[in-house]
Amino acid sequence: MLVNEMALICLLSPLLGAVAARFYCHWAYARWLTIVTITVSWLFACALFRDVAFIGKAVDLYQFSWVDIGRYHFEVGFLLDSLSLMMMVIVTSVSLLVHVYSLGYMQEDANQSTYFSYVSFFTFAMLILVMANNLLFVFFGWEGVGLASYLLIGFWQTKAYPARASIKAFVVNRVGDMGLIIAMGLILLQLGDLEYANILGRGSQLLGVVWHGWRWIDFICLGLFVGAMGKSAQMPLQIWLPDSMAGPTPISALIHAATMVTAGVYLVCRFAPWFELSPITLSIVLWVGFSTMILMGIVALVANDIKKVIAYSTLSQLGMMVGICGLSGYVFSLYHLATHAAFKALLFLSAGAVIIASNHEQDLRKISGMANHRTIHLSMFIGLLSMIAVPPLSGFFSKDAMLMFSAKQSLWPYVVMVGGAVLTALYSTRLYYLLFWQNRAINKTVPVGYSICWPLWILSAASIYLGYAMVPYLEVLLRSVDVGNQITVLVIKDIQDVAGFIDHALTSLPLTLTLFSVTVLTYVYWKKPSVLDRLIKRLAWGYDFIASQYGLNALFERYMVTGYQRLSIYCSEIVDSGLIDQRLVMGVSAQVKKASGPLARIANGKLYHYILVMLVALVLILLGLV
Amino acid sequence: MMYLSLLIASGLLGGLGVMALGSRINCRHIASGTVLISLWVFYGLTQQMVFSDGGIQLMESLPWIPYFNVRYMLGIDGLSWALVGLTLLINCIVIAGSYLVNYTRMRLYLALFLLMQSMVIGVFLAYDAILFYMFWEGMLIPMYLCIGVWGSSQRSYAAMKFFLYTFLGSVLMLVGFIYLGIQAQSFSFLQMASVPLSLFEQQWLFLALLAAFAVKIPMFPFHTWLPDAHTEAPASGSVILAALMLKVGAYGLIRVSMPILPDASAYFAPLMIGLSLIAIVYVGIVAFSQQDMKRLIAYSSVAHMGFVTLGLFLIYRAGDADMASLGMTGAVVQMISHAFGSGALFCAFGLLYHQCHERSIIKFSGLGTKMPWFSMFFLLFVLSTIGVPLTAGFVGEYLVIMTALQTMPLVGLCAAITLVLSAAYLLTMYKQAFFGMPSDIVEKVRDIHRGEVTLLLFISLVVLALGIYPQGLIQVLYPPITQLLDAAVSSKLLV
């Protein structure tokens, strides 16, 4: 079987492109090279998907031993199953589209070879993350995507804001990585191994281990989830994601919407059997996910930057996926992950087209004339409808599956989920009206080229069709994340009867509420836009509070960063140079100098003094001996 | 063939050659010839070694001062081999770097570095305490001169501080060695390891030896000489200081303190672990507000050496032998990878400093646009120091944190904070210097030329190789480490 070679080509081809494009950055065709390599990677990912995903069991491919000490074996290897293969296809497809899109988007940039190199490197790291067969190798990809994100957010390095945003993203992500590292150490202590195949089935072995009344597995799952919170930008570690919009827009589509930010969801799903054993962590996952969904959805209602609105909506959707993981509906989280990758990438890439067409204007209140831009209008419209979950678009299938699942679990998660769905409808509608209705003055827009339009068309098709197309795949996917949840099986059965599923949804509460809120908001925007203005003025304080992410951003930037700077200056000046260096080290040396005064008088270089001392000493020694 | 003596002699003779013939032939050629010869000897030596055997090999032992039973005793094992290899590699970089810059008194400069190479290799090979001490002190003088002659404005203060501080420590070490020598009737480390000592004796001896080692590593709170020495030293001096000088301290702990004084090492392990943690966390915080580029790298050096001592002394808390060797291997790998983290940063910064003679971070801005190639390499070294996977810096840090989490979870928790701290201070520095619009100073610099690219590319390849396939190094280190570990944990009190 050639699976191993295929996996290697799929993984290493983007790396080759990245390295070549970086070193031959002055070569005019460097960017085309990265497109060739990413296409190769995509083809092999698809081929692997076709060959391996449906065989019903995971394929473990050992590559080499990274570190081998005694009983500790840290290895590098791949695990291909229906979960990782789905992720590989998503990653390479979106990456390919973003590469093509960037041809047009970045065409005037002087450093575009470097840009393409970074994007290819990101793809490589993300592939490691999803292909790895053990937690350490996952960590390689985990940090790698963080690095790529850092490089790309700060790509326009002469500007101040991207520089700040990039460092924020990296450092906040590292807080999450700390959780992952700690989880790894705890796993290693109990099980002595990090390979999925060897540890995932042994979760019950951890149940008996207790430390001061705390169960070991809770610590491990919590560590893993902190890692997931960093990457998937769950509250309160979400602060890096809105600022990451400082990077080029195609990057926001690839990294901060479709792939990297879903890594946390992927990790939680990978460790689903363990999370099942830790109810306390599961409820934390649920709470964190749902609060991110609701609170960030509300922020999306007040943001005015087109990219930020979509970023907050990403946060809200991610919160939804994470929250459903907390209810043990892993398959549906992954389902939504896939459809979300399509429609969110579409939204971001459309936003990028808007930005180009409106001459780099990102403020929704100032952009005008977009309604006449047919491709942009249509793609944005489809993306938003898919996100609102209008049947039978992609987003509908996944979101309604999640809704149905939560309804069957218990009442209050269902209520919160419906709230999330309504919020989605509200901010999507608002985005649409601000973008296409508010300023209908026909300004001169900049035309966008084919390399931008083609990815939009393809992603529009995916946003319409992917949800339906994936219905049969859910059963296959379930094999990778099966935790024996009966409700999951029931819901999948329901979805497979597609006509009945849509029929049921049309009469259900969430869709009714969603469409109702869309209608109300449409009416307000159409007939009485002044109502909203008055509302904003009346609630100005609350408006600002929400826009600042409930003060979390200020807390981080003003208090934590400044406080840390103060602490550092205190340690450096008072403790390190003041106390240790001046007081202790130089103080001792000053004392020695002082004490050496009398000694210097004795050691004055006069020979007869020395001889006298020697004689006295000799006499004393002799007396002592006697 | 007396490979080990040849290896030490080649540097010495090369140094003499540079001084004697340097006026007639280009002294750089003589120096690089010498390093090539040393490498060739090293190659021959490598052929002779059996890496699966963890014991001492190629032993050379001759009487030196028979009256005191002092011997000229050299030997090598996998650990020494790796460190000697590191020394030669770093010296290659420094000598190659000398082609790129011009210093006054070039002959003396090169001769001193060759002398230093001999002395450092001597420390790694010596098995006799007096010989060890001699090489140890011999290393000090060239470094002192290097800072004092080629340093920047505050050089005499820094050189004096460096010399006195380290000298004070090593004198105490000598006292300890003499006591041990009297007890063992021999100055051989092997004899010393088997002599029975009471806990009380061991404790005092441990502190005496620690005085020398802790200053060299440097451990908190003996670290304040290092930022001064680094800021004032020339780039090459900083590279040697960071990459080699700091390593001999840790090497001393592994080779001398732990096998000879196992019970005292176990007794003081909590203290050492505590000090290491302070180095990792507190010094990491201090580094954040440094305004001087070299000071910042120096502080990051101290923080990263904290992982070495942490890994070493965690073995006394480890549950079993494998866990202990995980920590010790991590510590040794960290020693080597740190040379390619901080050492590489100093080397790269040296190339920049050579152009603009400015160290203050705040004066730099926009290097990324003016020097794209340089900033690429510099970023790689920064990432290695931060400990991003697939670079050298990750391996040691990861192994030590894993050991810590398994032996003392709370210690591991604190050590893991370094992930955030190091990213914060190094990336803030990188942002200030490399992002933004070019500042006045930066406007005048040019990007690195082909020779400099080659030099940095070479270092980068080592950094990546160590990060991608550390097992290549670890399979050399593992056999001697298991042996040293045995000695380090077998108590002398029951004998």
Side-chain angles (χ1 to χ4, degrees):
Chain A
M1 213 151 83
L2 285 167
V3 172
N4 196 19
E5 283 74 10
M6 284 163 81
L8 276 174
I9 293 172
C10 177
L11 176 69
L12 293 179
S13 157
L15 179 68
L16 176 76
V19 172
R22 185 67 190 85
F23 275 92
Y24 295 96
C25 59
H26 298 299
W27 183 41
Y29 295 101
R31 57 185 196 274
W32 289 100
L33 179 72
T34 62
I35 288 182
V36 170
T37 52
I38 200 74
T39 312
V40 169
S41 178
W42 175 69
L43 286 173
F44 277 90
C46 292
L48 277 172
F49 183 77
R50 186 201 58 199
D51 288 353
V52 183
F54 299 95
I55 60 175
K57 65 179 187 354
V59 176
D60 212 320
L61 302 168
Y62 165 83
Q63 300 303 325
F64 65 90
S65 180
W66 188 69
V67 165
D68 219 346
I69 298 169
R71 69 185 152 92
Y72 297 99
H73 307 289
F74 300 100
E75 282 164 4
V76 166
F78 306 139
L79 179 81
L80 303 181
D81 62 1
S82 53
L83 173 56
S84 57
L85 284 161
M86 181 187 91
M87 294 297 286
M88 281 163 70
V89 172
I90 294 175
V91 170
T92 48
S93 318
V94 179
S95 177
L96 175 60
L97 292 172
V98 164
H99 270 82
V100 174
Y101 180 91
S102 302
L103 281 179
Y105 192 86
M106 300 297 284
Q107 65 186 353
E108 277 152 33
D109 201 287
N111 294 330
Q112 49 176 309
S113 300
T114 311
Y115 167 86
F116 280 94
S117 152
Y118 290 165
V119 182
S120 286
F121 174 75
F122 168 80
T123 314
F124 163 71
M126 192 68 204
L127 283 173
I128 287 186
L129 201 163
V130 297
M131 289 167 81
N133 72 347
N134 64 70
L135 202 48
L136 172 69
F137 197 35
V138 165
F139 193 71
F140 284 22
W142 197 263
E143 291 270 273
V145 291
L147 170 64
S149 152
Y150 165 79
L151 291 170
L152 284 163
I153 295 171
F155 180 70
W156 287 313
Q157 47 178 246
T158 48
K159 296 184 195 158
Y161 181 47
R164 220 159 15 103
S166 64
I167 197 166
K168 187 174 176 183
F170 195 87
V171 173
V172 175
N173 261 304
R174 274 243 152 169
V175 176
D177 297 353
M178 229 173 84
L180 201 52
I181 278 267
I182 289 166
M184 257 191 266
L186 301 183
I187 295 171
L188 210 53
L189 173 57
Q190 291 307 331
L191 302 176
D193 206 335
L194 292 174
E195 208 166 311
Y196 293 149
N198 299 341
I199 58 171
L200 281 179
R202 287 161 64 194
S204 50
Q205 216 170 310
L206 294 170
L207 282 178
V209 190
V210 176
W211 186 75
H212 289 293
W214 296 84
R215 298 191 319 154
W216 204 258
I217 189 139
D218 295 337
F219 286 117
I220 293 176
C221 288
L222 209 57
L224 290 171
F225 183 57
V226 170
M229 277 165 73
K231 273 282 172 287
S232 285
Q234 296 299 298
M235 284 178 86
L237 295 184
Q238 95 289 5
I239 40 175
W240 67 269
L241 189 72
D243 283 313
S244 74
M245 295 299 124
T249 310
I251 290 320
S252 311
L254 174 63
I255 301 183
H256 306 119
T259 55
M260 184 184 90
V261 289
T262 56
V265 179
Y266 168 81
L267 189 77
V268 174
C269 292
R270 222 352 132 208
F271 280 89
W274 285 15
F275 277 89
E276 285 304 304
L277 297 174
S278 171
I280 185 164
T281 319
L282 270 186
S283 55
I284 293 174
V285 172
L286 180 65
W287 275 100
V288 169
F290 276 177
S291 24
T292 309
M293 169 177 79
I294 297 291
L295 294 174
M296 289 301 129
I298 294 173
V299 183
L301 279 173
V302 303
N304 283 319
D305 182 315
I306 179 169
K307 285 183 73 181
K308 291 235 165 124
V309 173
I310 305 178
Y312 286 119
S313 87
T314 305
L315 281 172
S316 175
Q317 302 293 318
L318 285 170
M320 197 177 278
M321 293 176 217
V322 170
I324 290 296
C325 284
L327 290 173
S328 314
Y330 305 99
V331 177
F332 308 111
S333 283
L334 291 168
Y335 192 14
H336 196 56
L337 188 160
T339 58
H340 175 258
F343 66 70
K344 197 47 71 70
L346 174 64
L347 285 175
F348 261 119
L349 293 184
S350 310
V354 168
I355 292 167
I356 291 229
S358 63
N359 241 325
H360 295 272
E361 179 56 65
Q362 298 195 12
D363 195 323
L364 280 171
R365 291 163 297 191
K366 295 179 188 152
I367 297 172
S368 62
M370 281 306 132
N372 308 321
H373 223 299
R374 210 171 290 156
T375 304
I376 294 176
H377 196 159
L378 192 65
S379 60
M380 196 63 123
F381 189 66
I382 292 171
L384 289 174
L385 283 188
S386 188
M387 182 154 77
I388 295 174
V390 173
L393 271 59
S394 295
F396 158 76
F397 280 93
S398 55
K399 193 172 284 178
D400 228 55
M402 291 196 291
L403 279 163
M404 191 182 257
F405 177 78
S406 60
K408 290 195 172 158
Q409 281 281 0
S410 65
L411 180 64
W412 80 260
Y414 178 64
V415 173
V416 181
M417 278 296 291
V418 173
V422 170
L423 269 176
T424 311
L426 289 175
Y427 62 69
S428 306
T429 317
R430 172 175 176 266
L431 178 62
Y432 181 78
Y433 281 100
L434 287 181
L435 198 54
F436 296 108
W437 279 68
Q438 196 183 42
N439 299 314
R440 305 206 59 182
I442 299 170
N443 279 18
K444 199 169 159 41
T445 52
V446 182
V448 291
Y450 276 109
S451 80
I452 289 184
C453 290
W454 267 106
L456 291 182
W457 293 333
I458 293 170
L459 281 170
S460 301
S463 298
I464 294 171
Y465 186 63
L466 183 67
Y468 174 70
M470 266 189 69
V471 169
Y473 189 65
L474 288 180
E475 268 186 341
V476 184
L477 192 57
L478 184 63
R479 286 180 211 145
S480 297
V481 291
D482 195 10
V483 289
N485 188 320
Q486 283 311 309
I487 302 176
T488 310
V489 181
L490 281 178
V491 175
I492 292 180
K493 283 252 165 56
D494 278 352
I495 303 173
Q496 276 166 346
D497 171 24
V498 175
F501 183 64
I502 296 177
D503 231 25
H504 172 260
L506 284 174
T507 55
S508 70
L509 176 73
L511 195 62
T512 322
L513 272 178
T514 305
L515 294 178
F516 176 71
S517 49
V518 170
T519 321
V520 169
L521 204 58
T522 308
Y523 177 75
V524 172
Y525 269 111
W526 206 350
K527 297 283 180 192
K528 294 196 163 91
S530 57
V531 173
L532 288 173
D533 292 337
R534 259 181 286 148
L535 198 70
I536 291 169
K537 245 175 228 145
R538 189 76 54 79
L539 298 171
W541 180 83
Y543 195 82
D544 290 342
F545 179 67
I546 294 171
S548 71
Q549 300 175 49
Y550 311 97
L552 281 173
N553 205 30
L555 182 76
F556 177 78
E557 289 198 347
R558 266 187 234 139
Y559 298 102
M560 287 176 66
V561 173
T562 325
Y564 183 63
Q565 269 165 348
R566 289 227 187 98
L567 174 72
S568 170
I569 290 172
Y570 176 81
C571 285
S572 164
E573 282 171 8
I574 312 283
V575 183
D576 218 58
S577 30
L579 185 70
I580 298 176
D581 199 40
Q582 293 304 324
R583 280 286 168 76
L584 290 177
V585 178
M586 299 317 280
V588 167
S589 103
Q591 289 299 324
V592 169
K593 211 170 177 183
K594 219 190 271 173
S596 70
L599 281 175
R601 240 175 287 142
I602 300 169
N604 52 11
K606 287 177 186 152
L607 205 56
Y608 55 89
H609 279 186
Y610 297 172
I611 293 170
L612 183 69
V613 174
M614 278 157 72
L615 279 175
V616 172
L618 194 62
V619 169
L620 284 177
I621 290 168
L622 286 175
L623 282 177
L625 285 181
V626 170
Chain B
M1 281 291 275
M2 296 172 70
Y3 281 107
L4 305 180
S5 302
L6 265 179
L7 198 56
I8 294 172
S10 64
L12 282 173
L13 293 176
L16 285 178
V18 169
M19 287 310 279
L21 304 171
S23 52
R24 263 172 282 163
I25 315 165
N26 188 346
C27 49
R28 293 173 176 123
H29 295 336
I30 306 177
S32 37
T34 309
V35 176
L36 286 181
I37 290 172
S38 304
L39 277 175
W40 182 59
V41 175
F42 184 64
Y43 174 74
L45 177 157
T46 309
Q47 300 285 307
Q48 299 291 316
M49 279 185 69
V50 183
F51 285 103
S52 52
D53 173 17
I56 309 167
Q57 303 173 35
L58 306 179
M59 178 79 104
E60 295 169 17
S61 181
L62 298 166
W64 184 20
I65 313 175
Y67 186 74
F68 293 115
N69 204 5
V70 174
R71 296 181 74 82
Y72 172 81
M73 193 155 131
L74 298 175
I76 192 166
D77 62 4
L79 174 68
S80 301
W81 179 86
L83 291 167
V84 169
L86 172 75
T87 311
L88 288 174
L89 217 54
I90 295 291
N91 229 37
C92 277
I93 292 167
V94 168
I95 301 289
S98 76
Y99 281 90
L100 303 171
V101 288
N102 262 317
Y103 285 115
T104 52
R105 301 195 226 174
M106 202 65 197
R107 273 194 296 161
L108 182 62
Y109 173 85
L110 290 170
L112 284 182
F113 278 102
L114 292 175
L115 178 64
M116 206 128 57
Q117 174 195 314
S118 282
M119 294 298 140
V120 175
I121 291 178
V123 168
F124 291 142
L125 298 181
Y127 271 87
D128 182 278
I130 299 298
L131 192 65
F132 181 87
Y133 178 75
M134 203 191 75
F135 284 127
W136 181 277
E137 294 293 24
M139 203 165 59
L140 212 56
I141 297 155
M143 197 66 215
Y144 168 73
L145 287 175
C146 176
I147 300 174
V149 176
W150 293 278
S152 47
S153 54
Q154 297 271 306
R155 59 177 177 265
S156 57
Y157 168 74
M160 200 46 115
K161 194 173 181 179
F162 163 74
F163 189 86
L164 286 182
Y165 212 145
T166 42
F167 189 71
L168 183 72
S170 25
V171 167
L172 291 174
M173 175 172 81
L174 181 63
V175 174
F177 278 161
I178 291 173
Y179 184 84
L180 273 170
I182 292 169
Q183 292 296 315
Q185 302 289 318
S186 156
F187 283 91
S188 150
F189 287 151
L190 307 174
Q191 305 265 322
M192 286 179 182
S194 54
V195 65
L197 292 166
S198 73
L199 182 61
F200 181 73
E201 282 172 304
Q202 286 194 35
Q203 284 169 349
W204 282 102
L205 286 168
F206 183 84
L207 291 177
L209 297 186
L210 186 66
F213 300 146
V215 169
K216 263 288 199 298
I217 289 175
M219 292 181 72
F220 176 88
F222 306 107
H223 64 280
T224 52
W225 63 270
L226 188 74
D228 286 329
H230 267 311
T231 31
E232 300 309 323
S236 48
S238 286
V239 172
I240 296 282
L241 196 58
L244 304 178
M245 292 263 161
L246 308 189
K247 306 300 156 349
V248 295
Y251 176 80
L253 284 177
I254 301 175
R255 180 72 74 202
V256 186
S257 291
M258 290 164 71
I260 298 179
L261 312 165
D263 305 292
S265 303
Y267 179 84
F268 284 113
L271 174 76
M272 301 296 281
I273 291 172
L275 289 180
S276 313
L277 269 190
I278 295 177
I280 292 168
V281 177
Y282 159 83
V283 176
I285 294 174
V286 169
F288 186 72
S289 63
Q290 296 307 314
Q291 295 299 316
D292 183 308
M293 186 85 92
K294 287 184 96 177
R295 268 190 108 75
L296 189 142
I297 307 173
Y299 273 109
S300 91
S301 239
V302 179
H304 283 90
M305 288 306 284
F307 277 100
V308 177
T309 43
L310 181 64
L312 286 184
F313 282 89
L314 276 173
I315 64 168
Y316 293 106
R317 287 284 182 281
D320 58 53
D322 282 342
M323 208 185 277
S325 51
L326 189 69
M328 199 151 174
T329 314
V332 176
V333 172
Q334 174 78 356
M335 277 163 72
I336 289 163
S337 63
H338 170 261
F340 291 99
S342 295
L345 278 178
F346 278 123
C347 178
F349 180 70
L351 296 178
L352 178 63
Y353 183 76
H354 185 64
Q355 283 195 47
C356 58
H357 296 279
E358 179 59 60
R359 290 197 312 260
S360 173
I361 300 172
I362 210 103
K363 294 271 177 62
F364 290 109
S365 172
L367 280 171
T369 36
K370 285 296 287 185
M371 306 175 79
W373 288 107
F374 175 77
S375 55
M376 183 179 88
F377 288 114
F378 200 85
L379 181 65
L380 179 69
F381 303 148
V382 162
L383 293 174
S384 174
T385 314
I386 291 177
V388 172
L390 297 181
T391 62
F394 174 70
V395 188
E397 233 173 72
Y398 177 77
L399 295 181
V400 172
I401 292 179
M402 284 301 120
T403 319
L405 281 166
Q406 292 184 65
T407 49
M408 303 167 90
L410 288 177
V411 170
L413 208 68
C414 294
I417 294 176
T418 190
L419 254 72
V420 182
L421 297 183
S422 60
Y425 62 75
L426 277 164
L427 288 182
T428 311
M429 177 272 278
Y430 188 81
K431 178 194 126 195
Q432 173 60 40
F434 288 80
F435 284 44
M437 297 302 280
S439 60
D440 296 346
I441 300 174
V442 175
E443 279 297 346
K444 293 185 202 108
V445 300
R446 52 155 179 84
D447 204 355
I448 45 178
H449 56 66
R450 189 164 294 174
E452 294 165 330
V453 169
T454 317
L455 185 70
L456 295 184
L457 189 65
F458 172 71
I459 304 176
S460 312
L461 289 179
V462 180
V463 167
L464 290 175
L466 274 178
I468 293 169
Y469 190 62
Q471 182 61 22
L473 176 66
I474 285 172
Q475 65 200 19
V476 173
L477 294 176
Y478 187 60
I481 279 179
T482 42
Q483 292 219 348
L484 284 164
L485 203 63
D486 268 352
V489 294
S490 47
S491 170
K492 283 186 164 184
L493 299 179
L494 300 174
V495 180

